[in-house]
Amino acid sequence: MELVTTPRQDGFTFPAEFAPQQAVWLAWPERQDNWRNDAKPAQQAFAEVANEINRVVPVTVAVSEAQRDEARRQLSPSVQLEVMAYNDAWMRDIGPTIVTNARGEKRGISWRFNAWGGDFNGLYSPWSDDDKVAERICNHLDIDHYRAPFVLEGGAIHTDGEGTLYTTSECLLSQGRNPDLTQDEIEQYLADYLGITKVIWLPKGLFNDETDGHIDNLLHVIAPGKVVLSWTDDVNDPQYQISREALRVLVNSLDAKERTIEVIKLPIPGPLYLKENEAAGITPSKGMKRSAGERLGGSYANFLMINKTIFLPELDCLTDPMAKSLLQNALPDHQIVSIPTREVLLGGGNIHCITQQIPTGGAT
């Protein structure tokens, strides 16, 4: 059922990703203008991600009727399939953001989705099926949902579950999202729908991120008052200044509980670029332009945390071990599962972008 109140009015808040989770959702890729070679390489990568997560929590994969048999062939038998209409496979952005209350109840939020910019700079059209996915999943989960009155994607927000929300000005204040809203008005909506009390605005997201700078490519909250930040020491890399501007904001901010924020610098891979044979396998379209030599938005921060397990993108043999070691030192009680995901990166994101967690509910 669609509710006419707000989560804050009803006592619901946005739990942290490191809080207990009971399930994860993905969607099966098939767009030929985003995934090369009829999406076959991407499907193999998505299947490996889904199968690995399914070892920790139950996984459900949304899939089209045309792709159901292929998905069933590649996915573990215990991974559930749900036939559903959608436009592309970025479940973080099209799936529901789940909020919880102290009684263990769950409700979903269906953000307005316009393919990361609508008519201004959106990546594809139509996006009408994507805009309905969150409601459909809430119906499948048999939970009520809120229909937010503004455009937002799940990849644009990170929380500590204790009142602090992290985002970027580049994304939430972009002209393709909510051009009629001020920053203060957006903050009020975030408070109303996520139950947060403080927003920490970082200036920009990862360099060349085609989502207008989603936070989940730049930063990941791994504990209250503790984040990892995409980083490079190469002064000639455009990311160099972006990361330092983000660090300046973080070290000069207090979170919602008046804590200073510990920042762990996580190296970016590469830089990585789209190869000629990879670009040749993508069907050209108006919104998503893919060309050989294009800088890819590679980031180790785009991992998923589920019940003390980190599912980490494996992107560059030179930096993969360093990223894994830094995360293991920061979270010694966590298991880290590295998964090769270049094929996901070619589509514009990574493991965090293609997943959406369903929390167990209860106090966080």
Side-chain angles (χ1 to χ4, degrees):
M1 179 177 72
E2 182 174 328
L3 303 167
V4 297
T5 52
T6 68
R8 187 170 70 161
Q9 289 173 332
D10 298 336
F12 285 77
T13 60
F14 182 26
E17 193 172 310
F18 49 79
Q21 308 293 335
Q22 72 175 34
V24 169
W25 279 70
L26 295 87
W28 193 250
E30 60 179 288
R31 282 188 77 104
Q32 296 179 0
D33 61 350
N34 196 40
W35 309 105
R36 71 185 183 109
N37 299 348
D38 295 324
K40 298 302 182 187
Q43 289 171 0
Q44 293 177 8
F46 272 61
E48 184 171 359
V49 170
N51 291 339
E52 288 291 347
I53 296 172
N54 192 58
R55 299 175 186 272
V56 177
V57 293
V59 169
T60 301
V61 177
V63 64
S64 68
E65 183 65 51
Q67 287 287 328
R68 178 164 56 176
D69 289 347
E70 181 60 28
R72 184 72 283 159
R73 185 184 70 81
Q74 295 195 49
L75 293 165
S76 298
S78 55
V79 172
Q80 297 184 36
L81 297 182
E82 180 69 14
V83 174
M84 187 182 299
Y86 54 93
N87 300 109
D88 203 2
W90 303 106
M91 187 56 78
R92 176 66 48 180
D93 295 342
I94 63 177
T97 296
I98 303 298
V99 290
T100 61
N101 68 9
R103 294 189 297 274
E105 298 169 323
K106 293 189 290 290
R107 292 178 179 175
I109 301 172
S110 173
W111 308 110
R112 298 192 183 278
F113 180 80
N114 69 355
W116 310 279
D119 294 332
F120 181 76
N121 65 340
L123 299 184
Y124 54 73
S125 179
W127 54 77
S128 53
D129 282 326
D130 277 349
D131 194 38
K132 298 172 184 173
V133 166
E135 177 183 354
R136 290 168 179 158
I137 291 177
C138 289
N139 291 339
H140 176 87
L141 298 173
D142 195 25
I143 61 174
D144 294 334
H145 72 279
Y146 303 91
R147 176 61 168 170
F150 66 113
V151 174
L152 186 73
E153 307 92 30
I157 50 176
H158 261 310
T159 185
D160 62 1
E162 298 185 358
T164 313
L165 193 82
Y166 297 82
T167 190
T168 72
S169 300
E170 180 185 7
C171 180
L172 262 60
L173 303 183
S174 64
Q175 286 299 300
R177 300 302 199 285
N178 301 287
D180 297 330
L181 297 178
T182 65
Q183 180 170 326
D184 287 344
E185 288 169 334
I186 291 173
E187 279 203 25
Q188 186 60 56
Y189 273 139
L190 294 171
D192 289 342
Y193 281 85
L194 297 171
I196 54 92
T197 57
K198 181 164 187 176
V199 181
I200 295 178
W201 294 86
L202 302 185
K204 295 180 180 179
L206 195 76
F207 175 70
N208 217 31
D209 178 353
E210 62 187 1
T211 64
D212 296 319
H214 270 185
I215 193 73
D216 67 355
N217 249 347
L218 180 71
L219 172 148
H220 206 122
V221 185
I222 61 172
K226 191 173 184 177
V227 305
V228 296
L229 175 67
S230 296
W231 192 261
T232 180
D233 287 318
D234 181 358
V235 296
N236 296 314
D237 192 317
Q239 187 60 41
Y240 181 90
Q241 189 61 34
I242 293 172
S243 293
R244 276 153 183 79
E245 290 173 357
L247 180 64
R248 176 182 52 79
V249 173
L250 291 167
V251 299
N252 287 288
S253 298
L254 299 176
D255 67 13
K257 299 294 186 182
E258 299 296 314
R259 292 175 295 229
T260 57
I261 300 165
E262 180 183 354
V263 181
I264 297 167
K265 299 170 183 175
L266 200 60
I268 59 171
L272 306 174
Y273 300 92
L274 185 63
K275 300 175 183 176
E276 285 192 18
N277 66 308
E278 293 168 337
I282 301 170
T283 302
S285 70
K286 180 180 179 181
M288 290 183 286
K289 297 176 174 60
R290 302 281 187 262
S291 57
E294 174 185 344
R295 170 85 174 255
L296 300 171
S299 168
Y300 293 115
N302 205 292
F303 57 81
L304 178 71
M305 300 182 74
I306 296 291
N307 298 350
K308 294 191 180 297
T309 303
I310 291 177
F311 298 94
L312 180 68
E314 197 173 279
L315 297 168
D316 183 345
C317 62
L318 296 178
T319 48
D320 290 345
M322 188 186 307
K324 186 173 183 178
S325 176
L326 284 166
L327 284 170
Q328 193 68 81
N329 289 337
L331 297 165
D333 60 341
H334 283 55
Q335 178 186 9
I336 300 181
V337 178
S338 298
I339 306 172
T341 53
R342 182 178 174 88
E343 294 296 338
V344 182
L345 175 59
L346 296 181
N350 226 291
I351 294 175
H352 197 258
C353 299
I354 65 173
T355 55
Q356 181 60 274
Q357 70 274 0
I358 309 298
T360 58
T364 60

